[in-house]
Amino acid sequence: MLRLVSLPLGAAAACAVIAGTAHAQDVQVVKIAHAGPVSGGIAHIGKDTENGVRLAVEDLNAQALVIGGKKIKFELAAEDDAGDPRQATAVAQKLCDQKVAGVVGHLQSGTSIPASAVYAKCDMPHITASASNPDLTKPGHKTTFRLIANDNALGAALALFGADHLKIKTVAIIDDRTAYGQGVASVFKATALQKGVKVVGEEFTNDKATDFMAILTSIKNKKPDAIFYGGLDAQAGPMLRQMEQLGLSGVKYFGGDALCTEKLPELASKTQALKNVTCATGGASVDKMQGGADWKKRYDVKFPGQFQIYSPYAYDATMVLADAMKRANSVDPKVFNAFISKTEYKGVTANIAFTSKGELTTPAVTLYTYKDGRRVALN
């Protein structure tokens, strides 16, 4: 005969708590970090990449993934490095200590390079969606990966376009003394010289400057066909305004991905000099990415008016980390990191695979100009 046993109220409650705890243990929280500048002059770019990670985390959670026998709940660990190398290394150590699963970041080469050494020591995989200095991957850290073309591709593409299509004969070069600015400027210079373009002047500023009148006046006296600036949109905008004030609005203006943003027209007060800008980004324009159009619609609904440039790459970087976890059947960075180098992932931005150095196997470069206050792809 079946005997029904009734439990006292307290015992029944205890059983319910135990059952609930067991259920909760089936869900494992996995933190993916974003590290970049979300304060300061280029906070708009840092927030854009953070948005990309945030959107990816939401999409991953919608998949209800099970890894290592446990349901996975992804969370974003967001850190501000303020674009400062020392703060970036402190952030990197903090993320190591917190034992996040992986990092999307940092934004700039000057912050990514020192942070990469910290991540290497704690076996923390990190994927930059934007830092382009080739020196980032030269140490050969097995934890370092880049999701865009590096400066060797960007600087060379700009110099070739200037020489072959715009027929420039002379150029003045300015850089902001950062690892990024100096790196892309040096590649542009080397390629320009190979094409017979004469470098008539070299100047430098810093990534906090707003007054370029002295530099531009010196350059004006040398009458270059073009100016190349290795630096950020926060400086390129005021520089373009001041070029127009000095009567240099007819001079061609070249720059890399860090100034090639949607916000540049605003920062330049939509000066007429914008029409002479040619800039390059490492990757396809969002409307030409294999999943870009639909992704951009979703991004704009979630983060209206915030799109700049790198968020699709930050999104894909997050997805690449999760893909490696799935293939490794582990969320332990020391286990799944080895699977990142074997990535074959169809992302929003492109089909993603890495070389042994952590570079993309087939990086793309897109050239842009600005028309009617909007960024327009040239290729």
PDB file of all heavy atoms in Angstrom, residues 158-179:
ATOM      1  N   LEU A 158      46.151  54.062 -48.065  1.00  0.00           N
ATOM      2  CA  LEU A 158      45.947  55.507 -48.191  1.00  0.00           C
ATOM      3  C   LEU A 158      47.006  56.146 -49.077  1.00  0.00           C
ATOM      4  O   LEU A 158      46.700  56.989 -49.928  1.00  0.00           O
ATOM      5  CB  LEU A 158      45.968  56.148 -46.806  1.00  0.00           C
ATOM      6  CG  LEU A 158      44.725  55.892 -45.955  1.00  0.00           C
ATOM      7  CD1 LEU A 158      45.006  56.203 -44.489  1.00  0.00           C
ATOM      8  CD2 LEU A 158      43.553  56.727 -46.462  1.00  0.00           C
ATOM      9  N   ALA A 159      48.260  55.738 -48.892  1.00  0.00           N
ATOM     10  CA  ALA A 159      49.340  56.304 -49.702  1.00  0.00           C
ATOM     11  C   ALA A 159      49.194  55.917 -51.170  1.00  0.00           C
ATOM     12  O   ALA A 159      49.408  56.742 -52.066  1.00  0.00           O
ATOM     13  CB  ALA A 159      50.692  55.839 -49.166  1.00  0.00           C
ATOM     14  N   LEU A 160      48.813  54.686 -51.423  1.00  0.00           N
ATOM     15  CA  LEU A 160      48.630  54.238 -52.805  1.00  0.00           C
ATOM     16  C   LEU A 160      47.483  54.984 -53.472  1.00  0.00           C
ATOM     17  O   LEU A 160      47.579  55.384 -54.639  1.00  0.00           O
ATOM     18  CB  LEU A 160      48.374  52.728 -52.831  1.00  0.00           C
ATOM     19  CG  LEU A 160      49.564  51.835 -52.447  1.00  0.00           C
ATOM     20  CD1 LEU A 160      49.117  50.387 -52.305  1.00  0.00           C
ATOM     21  CD2 LEU A 160      50.686  51.950 -53.478  1.00  0.00           C
ATOM     22  N   PHE A 161      46.388  55.176 -52.740  1.00  0.00           N
ATOM     23  CA  PHE A 161      45.251  55.906 -53.286  1.00  0.00           C
ATOM     24  C   PHE A 161      45.631  57.354 -53.570  1.00  0.00           C
ATOM     25  O   PHE A 161      45.280  57.908 -54.620  1.00  0.00           O
ATOM     26  CB  PHE A 161      44.069  55.859 -52.321  1.00  0.00           C
ATOM     27  CG  PHE A 161      42.812  56.486 -52.858  1.00  0.00           C
ATOM     28  CD1 PHE A 161      41.976  55.781 -53.705  1.00  0.00           C
ATOM     29  CD2 PHE A 161      42.469  57.788 -52.520  1.00  0.00           C
ATOM     30  CE1 PHE A 161      40.811  56.357 -54.203  1.00  0.00           C
ATOM     31  CE2 PHE A 161      41.318  58.378 -53.009  1.00  0.00           C
ATOM     32  CZ  PHE A 161      40.482  57.652 -53.856  1.00  0.00           C
ATOM     33  N   GLY A 162      46.364  57.956 -52.652  1.00  0.00           N
ATOM     34  CA  GLY A 162      46.784  59.339 -52.847  1.00  0.00           C
ATOM     35  C   GLY A 162      47.671  59.523 -54.054  1.00  0.00           C
ATOM     36  O   GLY A 162      47.494  60.458 -54.846  1.00  0.00           O
ATOM     37  N   ALA A 163      48.619  58.614 -54.219  1.00  0.00           N
ATOM     38  CA  ALA A 163      49.553  58.724 -55.337  1.00  0.00           C
ATOM     39  C   ALA A 163      48.922  58.336 -56.668  1.00  0.00           C
ATOM     40  O   ALA A 163      49.082  59.030 -57.672  1.00  0.00           O
ATOM     41  CB  ALA A 163      50.784  57.858 -55.073  1.00  0.00           C
ATOM     42  N   ASP A 164      48.190  57.231 -56.675  1.00  0.00           N
ATOM     43  CA  ASP A 164      47.678  56.682 -57.935  1.00  0.00           C
ATOM     44  C   ASP A 164      46.392  57.346 -58.413  1.00  0.00           C
ATOM     45  O   ASP A 164      46.207  57.553 -59.626  1.00  0.00           O
ATOM     46  CB  ASP A 164      47.438  55.172 -57.790  1.00  0.00           C
ATOM     47  CG  ASP A 164      48.726  54.388 -57.593  1.00  0.00           C
ATOM     48  OD1 ASP A 164      49.806  54.930 -57.924  1.00  0.00           O
ATOM     49  OD2 ASP A 164      48.663  53.253 -57.094  1.00  0.00           O
ATOM     50  N   HIS A 165      45.504  57.693 -57.501  1.00  0.00           N
ATOM     51  CA  HIS A 165      44.186  58.206 -57.892  1.00  0.00           C
ATOM     52  C   HIS A 165      44.067  59.724 -57.733  1.00  0.00           C
ATOM     53  O   HIS A 165      43.462  60.385 -58.585  1.00  0.00           O
ATOM     54  CB  HIS A 165      43.085  57.502 -57.097  1.00  0.00           C
ATOM     55  CG  HIS A 165      42.970  56.040 -57.394  1.00  0.00           C
ATOM     56  ND1 HIS A 165      42.217  55.537 -58.430  1.00  0.00           N
ATOM     57  CD2 HIS A 165      43.534  54.961 -56.799  1.00  0.00           C
ATOM     58  CE1 HIS A 165      42.310  54.224 -58.456  1.00  0.00           C
ATOM     59  NE2 HIS A 165      43.110  53.842 -57.466  1.00  0.00           N
ATOM     60  N   LEU A 166      44.628  60.256 -56.665  1.00  0.00           N
ATOM     61  CA  LEU A 166      44.538  61.703 -56.446  1.00  0.00           C
ATOM     62  C   LEU A 166      45.757  62.451 -56.985  1.00  0.00           C
ATOM     63  O   LEU A 166      45.764  63.680 -57.000  1.00  0.00           O
ATOM     64  CB  LEU A 166      44.343  61.998 -54.956  1.00  0.00           C
ATOM     65  CG  LEU A 166      43.073  61.400 -54.333  1.00  0.00           C
ATOM     66  CD1 LEU A 166      42.981  61.775 -52.857  1.00  0.00           C
ATOM     67  CD2 LEU A 166      41.825  61.859 -55.083  1.00  0.00           C
ATOM     68  N   LYS A 167      46.762  61.693 -57.384  1.00  0.00           N
ATOM     69  CA  LYS A 167      47.959  62.248 -58.048  1.00  0.00           C
ATOM     70  C   LYS A 167      48.693  63.290 -57.186  1.00  0.00           C
ATOM     71  O   LYS A 167      49.221  64.269 -57.692  1.00  0.00           O
ATOM     72  CB  LYS A 167      47.587  62.886 -59.398  1.00  0.00           C
ATOM     73  CG  LYS A 167      46.797  61.988 -60.334  1.00  0.00           C
ATOM     74  CD  LYS A 167      47.574  60.723 -60.691  1.00  0.00           C
ATOM     75  CE  LYS A 167      46.786  59.836 -61.653  1.00  0.00           C
ATOM     76  NZ  LYS A 167      47.494  58.562 -61.931  1.00  0.00           N
ATOM     77  N   ILE A 168      48.725  63.055 -55.883  1.00  0.00           N
ATOM     78  CA  ILE A 168      49.470  63.983 -55.036  1.00  0.00           C
ATOM     79  C   ILE A 168      50.972  63.812 -55.270  1.00  0.00           C
ATOM     80  O   ILE A 168      51.462  62.707 -55.506  1.00  0.00           O
ATOM     81  CB  ILE A 168      49.128  63.807 -53.549  1.00  0.00           C
ATOM     82  CG1 ILE A 168      49.578  62.431 -53.032  1.00  0.00           C
ATOM     83  CG2 ILE A 168      47.647  64.011 -53.293  1.00  0.00           C
ATOM     84  CD1 ILE A 168      49.508  62.296 -51.517  1.00  0.00           C
ATOM     85  N   LYS A 169      51.700  64.909 -55.192  1.00  0.00           N
ATOM     86  CA  LYS A 169      53.152  64.886 -55.391  1.00  0.00           C
ATOM     87  C   LYS A 169      53.914  65.226 -54.114  1.00  0.00           C
ATOM     88  O   LYS A 169      55.070  64.830 -53.955  1.00  0.00           O
ATOM     89  CB  LYS A 169      53.543  65.874 -56.493  1.00  0.00           C
ATOM     90  CG  LYS A 169      52.883  65.604 -57.850  1.00  0.00           C
ATOM     91  CD  LYS A 169      53.288  64.241 -58.399  1.00  0.00           C
ATOM     92  CE  LYS A 169      52.651  63.998 -59.778  1.00  0.00           C
ATOM     93  NZ  LYS A 169      52.940  62.630 -60.282  1.00  0.00           N
ATOM     94  N   THR A 170      53.268  65.988 -53.232  1.00  0.00           N
ATOM     95  CA  THR A 170      53.914  66.385 -51.982  1.00  0.00           C
ATOM     96  C   THR A 170      52.939  66.212 -50.819  1.00  0.00           C
ATOM     97  O   THR A 170      51.726  66.381 -50.982  1.00  0.00           O
ATOM     98  CB  THR A 170      54.374  67.855 -52.028  1.00  0.00           C
ATOM     99  OG1 THR A 170      53.248  68.703 -52.301  1.00  0.00           O
ATOM    100  CG2 THR A 170      55.434  68.060 -53.102  1.00  0.00           C
ATOM    101  N   VAL A 171      53.484  65.887 -49.639  1.00  0.00           N
ATOM    102  CA  VAL A 171      52.642  65.673 -48.471  1.00  0.00           C
ATOM    103  C   VAL A 171      53.378  66.111 -47.210  1.00  0.00           C
ATOM    104  O   VAL A 171      54.597  65.979 -47.118  1.00  0.00           O
ATOM    105  CB  VAL A 171      52.216  64.195 -48.358  1.00  0.00           C
ATOM    106  CG1 VAL A 171      53.413  63.279 -48.135  1.00  0.00           C
ATOM    107  CG2 VAL A 171      51.175  64.000 -47.255  1.00  0.00           C
ATOM    108  N   ALA A 172      52.632  66.663 -46.265  1.00  0.00           N
ATOM    109  CA  ALA A 172      53.141  66.930 -44.922  1.00  0.00           C
ATOM    110  C   ALA A 172      52.498  65.924 -43.977  1.00  0.00           C
ATOM    111  O   ALA A 172      51.325  65.564 -44.147  1.00  0.00           O
ATOM    112  CB  ALA A 172      52.807  68.350 -44.485  1.00  0.00           C
ATOM    113  N   ILE A 173      53.260  65.460 -43.002  1.00  0.00           N
ATOM    114  CA  ILE A 173      52.782  64.404 -42.107  1.00  0.00           C
ATOM    115  C   ILE A 173      52.779  64.908 -40.669  1.00  0.00           C
ATOM    116  O   ILE A 173      53.748  65.504 -40.199  1.00  0.00           O
ATOM    117  CB  ILE A 173      53.675  63.145 -42.230  1.00  0.00           C
ATOM    118  CG1 ILE A 173      53.554  62.564 -43.644  1.00  0.00           C
ATOM    119  CG2 ILE A 173      53.280  62.102 -41.185  1.00  0.00           C
ATOM    120  CD1 ILE A 173      54.485  61.398 -43.919  1.00  0.00           C
ATOM    121  N   ILE A 174      51.656  64.671 -39.992  1.00  0.00           N
ATOM    122  CA  ILE A 174      51.507  65.004 -38.577  1.00  0.00           C
ATOM    123  C   ILE A 174      51.094  63.731 -37.842  1.00  0.00           C
ATOM    124  O   ILE A 174      50.280  62.962 -38.349  1.00  0.00           O
ATOM    125  CB  ILE A 174      50.420  66.073 -38.350  1.00  0.00           C
ATOM    126  CG1 ILE A 174      50.618  67.280 -39.278  1.00  0.00           C
ATOM    127  CG2 ILE A 174      50.403  66.524 -36.892  1.00  0.00           C
ATOM    128  CD1 ILE A 174      49.437  68.251 -39.269  1.00  0.00           C
ATOM    129  N   ASP A 175      51.657  63.499 -36.657  1.00  0.00           N
ATOM    130  CA  ASP A 175      51.153  62.398 -35.838  1.00  0.00           C
ATOM    131  C   ASP A 175      51.014  62.854 -34.394  1.00  0.00           C
ATOM    132  O   ASP A 175      51.548  63.894 -34.001  1.00  0.00           O
ATOM    133  CB  ASP A 175      52.038  61.149 -35.951  1.00  0.00           C
ATOM    134  CG  ASP A 175      53.346  61.274 -35.202  1.00  0.00           C
ATOM    135  OD1 ASP A 175      53.322  61.290 -33.953  1.00  0.00           O
ATOM    136  OD2 ASP A 175      54.413  61.346 -35.848  1.00  0.00           O
ATOM    137  N   ASP A 176      50.260  62.067 -33.618  1.00  0.00           N
ATOM    138  CA  ASP A 176      49.942  62.474 -32.242  1.00  0.00           C
ATOM    139  C   ASP A 176      50.846  61.829 -31.198  1.00  0.00           C
ATOM    140  O   ASP A 176      50.558  61.858 -30.004  1.00  0.00           O
ATOM    141  CB  ASP A 176      48.473  62.194 -31.920  1.00  0.00           C
ATOM    142  CG  ASP A 176      48.139  60.701 -31.908  1.00  0.00           C
ATOM    143  OD1 ASP A 176      49.044  59.870 -32.135  1.00  0.00           O
ATOM    144  OD2 ASP A 176      46.966  60.359 -31.658  1.00  0.00           O
ATOM    145  N   ARG A 177      51.942  61.228 -31.655  1.00  0.00           N
ATOM    146  CA  ARG A 177      52.943  60.626 -30.759  1.00  0.00           C
ATOM    147  C   ARG A 177      52.447  59.392 -30.024  1.00  0.00           C
ATOM    148  O   ARG A 177      53.157  58.854 -29.168  1.00  0.00           O
ATOM    149  CB  ARG A 177      53.470  61.624 -29.735  1.00  0.00           C
ATOM    150  CG  ARG A 177      54.192  62.821 -30.291  1.00  0.00           C
ATOM    151  CD  ARG A 177      55.609  62.493 -30.778  1.00  0.00           C
ATOM    152  NE  ARG A 177      55.628  62.175 -32.207  1.00  0.00           N
ATOM    153  CZ  ARG A 177      56.755  61.930 -32.886  1.00  0.00           C
ATOM    154  NH1 ARG A 177      57.925  61.972 -32.271  1.00  0.00           N
ATOM    155  NH2 ARG A 177      56.701  61.657 -34.165  1.00  0.00           N
ATOM    156  N   THR A 178      51.252  58.893 -30.331  1.00  0.00           N
ATOM    157  CA  THR A 178      50.788  57.637 -29.739  1.00  0.00           C
ATOM    158  C   THR A 178      51.313  56.479 -30.565  1.00  0.00           C
ATOM    159  O   THR A 178      51.778  56.651 -31.705  1.00  0.00           O
ATOM    160  CB  THR A 178      49.259  57.565 -29.689  1.00  0.00           C
ATOM    161  OG1 THR A 178      48.747  57.537 -31.030  1.00  0.00           O
ATOM    162  CG2 THR A 178      48.668  58.749 -28.932  1.00  0.00           C
ATOM    163  N   ALA A 179      51.217  55.269 -30.011  1.00  0.00           N
ATOM    164  CA  ALA A 179      51.642  54.084 -30.755  1.00  0.00           C
ATOM    165  C   ALA A 179      50.849  53.957 -32.051  1.00  0.00           C
ATOM    166  O   ALA A 179      51.403  53.610 -33.105  1.00  0.00           O
ATOM    167  CB  ALA A 179      51.460  52.837 -29.896  1.00  0.00           C
TER     168      ALA A 179
END
